[in-house]
Amino acid sequence: MSNKYEPSKVEDNYYKIWEDRGYFEVDGNKNIQEVGKNFSIMMPPPNVTGSLHIGHALTFTLQDIITRFKRMDGFKTLWQPGTDHAGIATQNVVEKQLLAEGTTKEEIGREKFLERAWLQKETSGGNIVHQMRKLGVTPAWKRERFTMDEGLKEAVKEAFVSLYNDGFITQNNYMVNWCTHDGALSDIEVEHEEVNGKFYHMNYHFADGSGHVTVATTRPETYFGDTAIMVHPDDERYTNIIGKEVILPLTDRKIKVITDSHVDMEFGTGVVKVTPAHDQNDYEVGKRHNLEFITCFDDKGILNEYCGEFAGLERLEAREPIVKKLQDEGFIVKIDEHVHQVGHCYRCKNIVEPFISQQWFLSEKVAQSSIAKTKAHNNFHPAHWINSYTAWMDELRPWCISRQLWWGHRIPVFTCDSCNHQWADQADEPEACPKCGNKHYTQDPDVLDTWFSSALWAMSPLGWGNNGKLPELYDFEQDMKDFYPNSLLITGFDIMFFWVARMMMMGDHFQGELPFKDIYMHALVRDEHGAKMSKSKGNVIDPLDMVEEHSADIIRFTLAYLAVQGRDIKLGAKNLEQFRNFTNKLYNASNFLTLNVDTFPDLKDIEIKTPLGIYMQSRLSDAVDEVRDTLENFKFNEAASTLYRFVWTEFCDWGIEYSKASKESIVELGAIFKETLKMVSPFMPFISDYLYHKLSGTSLEEGADSLMVTNFPSNVKKDEKIEEMFAIIEEAITALRRAKVIIDMGNSKISKAYIKLDKQIDTDVAKPFIEKLAKVEDIEFVDAKVENSITDVSDNLEVYLPTGEIDMTPIISKLEKQKEKVEKEVNKLNGMLSNERFVANAPEAVVAENKQALEDARNKLEKIENELKALGV
């Protein structure tokens, strides 16, 4: 084994060994598994077309830390991996490829298109999985699932058919969010962005020639679908026009003036056009008033015959020529600038239209039981996420689950060509119509929303609804017993409603209990200034670049250390540098130990006897308890902070330094450090394995087991009495260092010092540690104050440095010069602040700044005077 730690070589090599040995699988830790302890967590399946971004890195790192911890703690552990078919995203990729080849999906047909989509999946599907391996994550790769594999296809059909037969899935003509490229979208797939638009004020003339009324709109291209204009019933300005007819500009179609309390009298002119087929609010008005629903453009956004000479134009491209014609004909009164929210497709960023379409919907009633249980047993971490969940779910509407795509789970609904009977069927090709026996039927052309299959993810990869497909993966029946409900879900809050809430409703509906015992919602990773990362800002951090530059261990520990519950992570170069230094600290500690002893036993195989060994073991005990408690409560940052503090401060800054006065303790410290590496392992698995084997004189490559399948530390022996003694030792060393600073000998060795203790300790044990670390040749413990000495008083002791043996002249001279300089500063500031004119005329901030400077100078002067007094001046 090389003496130099090279992450780029170690990480890829170790990962392959771990995976080849099956450590990540359910039985990978069988030698330490304890009966009745099961742990399961589902990986949020990343898009098969995607690549690893920093949000993924955070999710997978936290999941891996808790999985490794549970695996080491004797749990039968399943971290279920998988990828999502990503209906819209994958179809868009393939369609662009076809366009580049000069063809379209319609030209090659559905069957050929799906062949291309599967090819795309096979080509790019492994990319993100490869990238995840670079991060060192340990899901059960042999059980990897894909949301359109044979078993999960069966589960989707099982769920759909059951919900359909129970009346929870129905087909309706309804207003949906419509992307003219990607088809129907659910409410949460629409991203609302603030845009700089315009407010068009148009005159609608009364049919009887009695004048006109002015209507304001942001979307003039939709006015061809108007079937009324409306005013508020209490708006006295328009009482005389209620019931009258107006003529739509550029057409001969007449519509009526109606009243509805939906109108905001204070907004615009107080007169509103009603376009029931192209506006969500107007849709409800249209139903209330039995208005005609006129669709003025098709599902591709192309204007139709209702739009006269503008038919054939795309809706957004049509706006400019329509407005110009309205202006030329005198219908436009004015155009104002107007900032407003516009919905965009979350995938292709196209402007979304409210559009009436025949779609499949899942009733919100399916979620009622899960909502009640979630409110009763708030299992969110941080707990405040229950408020967001409740606010959304209490307003839940039917979920549009159909999508106008070819790539995805095809809706398993069939219509008989003979009797027109419609039914849902789990068979891909039913034998015949169940009503009339006819063998000719048509399947619904649409596919299911990608999130429908993802909503089953807590149970379908465990075998629920797989109907015997892919049985070679595992024992479906046993896995449902062992791993449902899942122990934990870790994901970003941004997909709470896309995914988490939908898994809650589906899991509870089909299994009668919520799918997760705990749900940890992590925040966003932002740049070091707190800005959201985006390609346009140029502030995106690529986790793979960070792994390449630093190491997987460093990026993992950095993310964990910064992952405070409920708080966004600000990630910058300084954070990564801080934890690069931490890995150096681990490495240097290991090097120090091996300079003195070749190999070290495990803690369980050695009896700790030396005072230093007993002390460091006791401090380890506290660290173990803290790390365990914080991980059990998903406080990853606190667990990482405890590790950082114990390794850096307690073990290295104190323990290793103490060992220079206690060479006989080094073997024990090595055993304690090896136990510490087991705690570090879930966070920084590569370097911890490397150093553990280096200290053990073993090799992972030559067959030694990885730390990841050894027991996580527990029940480490504690000794409060010896901790109290070393606390006094540390206090004495610190006090002596402070006293030496007064005489300008902070880092120099002195011959003599005295210590007066307020507490009884074993001074024979304490003496060599204090002498070595405080750099004093001889320490003497006394019962009374030593005259003619520099004194430092702390909580439990006083230290004295005798001045008789030290030439104090240069020290006193230096302090007196400092005193003179500070006195001048005090006098200057006093004079300034005593000047009433200055205080009255100077800016408030300047006066405050000078007052603070005066206070600081006085404190400094007092300190110097005390030091001179201590020197007898």
Side-chain angles (χ1 to χ4, degrees):
M1 185 179 288
S2 167
N3 284 326
K4 184 181 179 186
Y5 180 65
E6 299 178 81
S8 60
K9 292 182 180 178
V10 171
E11 292 184 351
D12 287 346
N13 183 32
Y14 275 25
Y15 192 89
K16 186 176 187 309
I17 293 171
W18 295 340
E19 187 173 356
D20 288 347
R21 290 185 188 171
Y23 287 152
F24 310 162
E25 306 306 319
V26 169
D27 62 352
N29 65 335
K30 61 185 175 185
N31 292 334
I32 61 170
Q33 282 182 10
E34 299 174 37
V35 176
K37 290 175 71 171
N38 298 321
F39 176 81
S40 58
I41 185 169
M42 297 296 185
M43 175 186 291
N47 288 352
V48 74
T49 58
S51 59
L52 191 72
H53 57 64
I54 198 67
H56 287 137
L58 174 61
T59 300
F60 298 148
T61 293
L62 298 183
Q63 288 187 319
D64 194 49
I65 288 169
I66 198 72
T67 299
R68 285 174 176 272
F69 168 61
K70 293 294 184 179
R71 189 183 286 127
M72 293 176 72
D73 208 28
F75 282 77
K76 183 180 181 181
T77 302
L78 169 63
W79 181 12
Q80 175 64 53
T83 50
D84 188 271
H85 63 279
I88 292 175
T90 304
Q91 179 143 333
N92 282 345
V93 169
V94 178
E95 284 196 56
K96 285 176 183 175
Q97 290 173 352
L98 293 174
L99 285 173
E101 296 167 14
T103 187
T104 65
K105 73 178 196 297
E106 287 77 16
E107 288 178 12
I108 68 170
R110 186 167 193 145
E111 188 175 336
K112 291 287 186 186
F113 177 82
L114 291 177
E115 288 177 9
R116 286 292 297 266
W118 276 105
L119 180 63
Q120 174 62 28
K121 183 265 176 187
E122 295 303 323
T123 303
S124 68
N127 288 350
I128 196 164
V129 170
H130 166 74
Q131 292 166 340
M132 288 161 64
R133 283 177 162 89
K134 295 289 286 183
L135 199 60
V137 300
T138 60
W141 287 122
K142 290 180 182 176
R143 302 166 62 120
E144 184 183 347
R145 304 299 299 270
F146 175 54
T147 49
M148 282 179 60
D149 70 31
E150 289 302 314
L152 298 190
K153 279 165 64 178
E154 291 293 318
V156 168
K157 289 186 289 183
E158 171 105 4
F160 186 98
V161 171
S162 172
L163 292 164
Y164 177 93
N165 290 339
D166 289 342
F168 290 115
I169 290 179
T170 53
Q171 190 178 39
N172 297 302
N173 275 313
Y174 195 75
M175 179 160 280
V176 296
N177 302 297
W178 187 266
C179 171
T180 56
H181 182 257
D182 294 323
L185 303 171
S186 65
D187 290 345
I188 53 177
E189 291 172 320
V190 179
E191 295 178 343
H192 291 275
E193 299 174 15
E194 198 170 79
V195 299
N196 296 316
K198 297 184 186 300
F199 220 11
Y200 302 89
H201 296 256
M202 300 167 54
N203 284 340
Y204 285 41
H205 293 275
F206 291 114
D208 61 7
S210 59
H212 64 265
V213 64
T214 303
V215 178
T217 180
T218 59
R219 299 166 65 210
E221 67 276 6
T222 65
Y223 88 88
F224 296 106
D226 290 358
T227 54
I229 59 173
M230 61 181 174
V231 296
H232 195 282
D234 299 333
D235 195 334
E236 295 178 357
R237 292 174 296 175
Y238 300 114
T239 305
N240 62 330
I241 68 169
I242 296 169
K244 295 184 74 171
E245 289 185 327
V246 296
I247 301 173
L248 277 182
L250 307 181
T251 75
D252 57 2
R253 190 155 62 82
K254 297 176 182 178
I255 58 176
K256 278 190 174 182
V257 180
I258 63 171
T259 63
D260 195 282
S261 57
H262 168 69
V263 178
D264 180 355
M265 290 187 287
E266 305 301 320
F267 186 70
T269 63
V271 184
V272 181
K273 63 195 279 300
V274 186
T275 319
H278 293 286
D279 182 274
Q280 187 66 57
N281 294 317
D282 292 358
Y283 176 78
E284 299 298 332
V285 171
K287 289 197 294 186
R288 283 198 294 273
H289 295 270
N290 294 315
L291 298 177
E292 185 180 3
F293 285 67
I294 295 176
T295 301
C296 60
F297 52 77
D298 66 14
D299 60 358
K300 299 299 181 187
I302 306 302
L303 272 56
N304 60 23
E305 66 277 6
Y306 282 99
C307 305
E309 66 186 270
F310 305 104
L313 294 177
E314 197 278 332
R315 64 194 165 127
L316 300 178
E317 295 171 357
R319 182 175 295 176
E320 189 176 334
I322 290 172
V323 169
K324 185 177 186 307
K325 183 67 180 269
L326 288 168
Q327 286 177 311
D328 291 346
E329 297 288 331
F331 291 105
I332 297 283
V333 179
K334 64 175 180 173
I335 302 173
D336 295 331
E337 297 298 319
H338 179 59
V339 178
H340 61 132
Q341 295 281 330
V342 175
H344 292 75
C345 174
Y346 83 116
R347 280 293 178 202
C348 68
K349 309 308 176 188
N350 185 17
I351 289 178
V352 169
E353 293 286 350
F355 192 73
I356 295 174
S357 175
Q358 187 177 66
Q359 302 292 337
W360 291 97
F361 293 88
L362 176 62
S363 171
E364 72 279 12
K365 294 176 183 176
V366 173
Q368 297 312 305
S369 172
S370 67
I371 293 171
K373 288 178 182 177
T374 305
K375 288 179 180 178
H377 308 285
N378 178 13
N379 56 350
F380 286 104
H381 305 270
H384 69 75
W385 282 114
I386 191 66
N387 300 324
S388 300
Y389 172 87
T390 299
W392 176 269
M393 299 303 282
D394 283 350
E395 300 297 322
L396 197 63
R397 298 196 301 172
W399 170 16
C400 176
I401 58 173
S402 47
R403 296 291 181 269
Q404 289 61 57
L405 303 170
W406 287 355
W407 173 245
H409 294 277
R410 190 146 176 202
I411 291 176
V413 173
F414 303 84
T415 304
C416 178
D417 293 349
S418 177
C419 70
N420 212 38
H421 173 65
Q422 190 182 72
W423 79 100
D425 206 309
Q426 285 183 236
D428 290 332
E429 296 181 1
E431 288 188 12
C433 170
K435 184 175 183 181
C436 72
N438 179 44
K439 295 185 181 296
H440 299 285
Y441 50 79
T442 305
Q443 184 174 359
D444 192 293
D446 288 351
V447 300
L448 286 163
D449 178 9
T450 301
W451 296 102
F452 187 91
S453 54
S454 297
L456 306 173
W457 191 248
M459 54 190 182
S460 60
L462 299 176
W464 179 89
N466 282 218
N467 295 324
K469 298 290 177 72
L470 305 181
E472 69 279 4
L473 282 179
Y474 36 80
D475 183 342
F476 288 155
E477 188 174 336
Q478 187 61 43
D479 284 341
M480 280 298 289
K481 289 178 183 176
D482 287 344
F483 301 127
Y484 188 94
N486 304 164
S487 308
L488 175 66
L489 176 70
I490 295 180
T491 189
F493 69 85
D494 51 334
I495 57 172
M496 178 189 281
F497 307 114
F498 280 104
W499 190 46
V500 180
R502 287 167 174 173
M503 282 193 289
M504 304 277 267
M505 72 169 77
M506 291 295 216
D508 181 65
H509 178 78
F510 287 110
Q511 291 297 311
E513 56 184 326
L514 294 174
F516 313 108
K517 294 172 185 172
D518 290 287
I519 301 170
Y520 176 91
M521 309 290 286
H522 66 69
L524 293 176
V525 184
R526 298 179 178 272
D527 72 11
E528 58 192 321
H529 306 295
K532 193 171 182 178
M533 293 185 191
S534 70
K535 290 179 181 177
S536 60
K537 291 178 184 174
N539 63 347
V540 172
I541 293 177
D542 186 326
L544 295 179
D545 289 346
M546 295 301 98
V547 169
E548 190 71 26
E549 183 180 351
H550 296 278
S551 73
D553 282 332
I554 291 172
I555 187 75
R556 288 166 62 100
F557 196 83
T558 303
L559 290 169
Y561 192 92
L562 298 176
V564 181
Q565 282 193 9
R567 190 182 303 168
D568 284 348
I569 289 174
K570 293 181 182 179
L571 180 63
K574 68 179 187 300
N575 306 116
L576 294 159
E577 192 59 40
Q578 177 185 359
F579 299 113
R580 177 197 288 279
N581 294 337
F582 182 57
T583 61
N584 291 340
K585 202 77 168 175
L586 288 166
Y587 189 71
N588 291 338
S590 174
N591 278 350
F592 170 81
L593 292 166
T594 53
L595 280 175
N596 294 274
V597 179
D598 291 335
T599 61
F600 299 84
D602 272 12
L603 189 58
K604 64 181 174 57
D605 299 325
I606 186 174
E607 184 183 354
I608 305 297
K609 295 179 179 179
T610 68
L612 177 56
I614 294 168
Y615 168 64
M616 287 311 305
Q617 178 178 246
S618 190
R619 296 308 303 140
L620 173 68
S621 175
D622 280 355
V624 166
D625 291 346
E626 284 181 39
V627 170
R628 280 183 162 277
D629 180 64
T630 48
L631 283 178
E632 293 287 3
N633 290 285
F634 320 119
K635 296 177 180 178
F636 296 96
N637 66 300
E638 292 183 23
S641 179
T642 297
L643 279 172
Y644 186 86
R645 185 186 68 246
F646 177 74
V647 169
W648 192 291
T649 305
E650 298 199 48
F651 190 88
C652 294
D653 286 358
W654 287 104
I656 285 179
E657 291 304 306
Y658 283 140
S659 75
K660 294 172 184 177
S662 175
K663 294 291 185 183
E664 69 277 11
S665 68
I666 287 180
V667 171
E668 296 175 354
L669 290 188
I672 289 163
F673 188 65
K674 284 174 64 179
E675 200 72 4
T676 303
L677 290 171
K678 292 180 183 179
M679 273 202 299
V680 174
S681 177
F683 297 82
M684 307 175 85
F686 296 104
I687 193 169
S688 56
D689 241 6
Y690 177 88
L691 295 179
Y692 178 86
H693 288 298
K694 179 181 177 182
L695 292 168
S696 302
T698 55
S699 167
L700 187 70
E701 293 94 325
E702 293 172 10
D705 267 338
S706 166
L707 281 184
M708 67 184 294
V709 290
T710 61
N711 286 113
F712 196 86
S714 66
N715 301 317
V716 178
K717 192 173 181 180
K718 187 163 175 63
D719 188 320
E720 291 185 1
K721 187 175 180 181
I722 207 159
E723 285 201 43
E724 289 171 5
M725 181 178 74
F726 271 88
I728 298 294
I729 292 171
E730 184 178 325
E731 188 178 335
I733 293 165
T734 304
L736 285 165
R737 288 171 175 174
R738 279 199 303 263
K740 286 168 65 183
V741 168
I742 295 173
I743 58 173
D744 238 13
M745 297 187 73
N747 204 36
S748 302
K749 196 163 192 176
I750 62 173
S751 59
K752 186 74 175 178
Y754 300 90
I755 301 175
K756 176 176 169 287
L757 297 170
D758 294 342
K759 288 187 175 181
Q760 291 296 316
I761 63 170
D762 187 333
T763 54
D764 290 338
V765 171
K767 191 173 187 291
F769 291 114
I770 298 172
E771 289 174 344
K772 187 72 175 177
L773 272 69
K775 293 187 176 179
V776 179
E777 288 180 8
D778 182 41
I779 292 289
E780 185 177 333
F781 293 93
V782 296
D783 296 325
K785 178 177 172 60
V786 175
E787 298 301 325
N788 300 318
S789 63
I790 305 298
T791 303
D792 185 278
V793 180
S794 58
D795 292 341
N796 299 296
L797 52 85
E798 295 178 19
V799 300
Y800 312 109
L801 307 185
T803 58
E805 301 174 18
I806 304 168
D807 182 4
M808 307 304 293
T809 308
I811 297 161
I812 292 169
S813 174
K814 180 181 175 183
L815 286 170
E816 286 179 333
K817 285 177 182 176
Q818 287 179 350
K819 180 183 176 184
E820 184 181 346
K821 182 180 177 183
V822 175
E823 280 176 337
K824 286 180 180 177
E825 180 69 11
V826 169
N827 292 334
K828 175 189 165 189
L829 290 166
N830 251 329
M832 195 183 298
L833 291 167
S834 300
N835 185 332
E836 294 180 2
R837 196 175 195 179
F838 168 76
V839 174
N841 296 326
E844 200 173 306
V846 172
V847 174
E849 187 180 326
N850 279 280
K851 284 181 177 179
Q852 183 61 51
L854 177 60
E855 185 181 345
D856 292 344
R858 282 173 172 165
N859 290 337
K860 190 173 182 182
L861 182 61
E862 184 182 359
K863 187 178 177 184
I864 294 169
E865 287 172 341
N866 287 337
E867 289 177 5
L868 285 166
K869 186 178 179 182
L871 296 172
V873 178

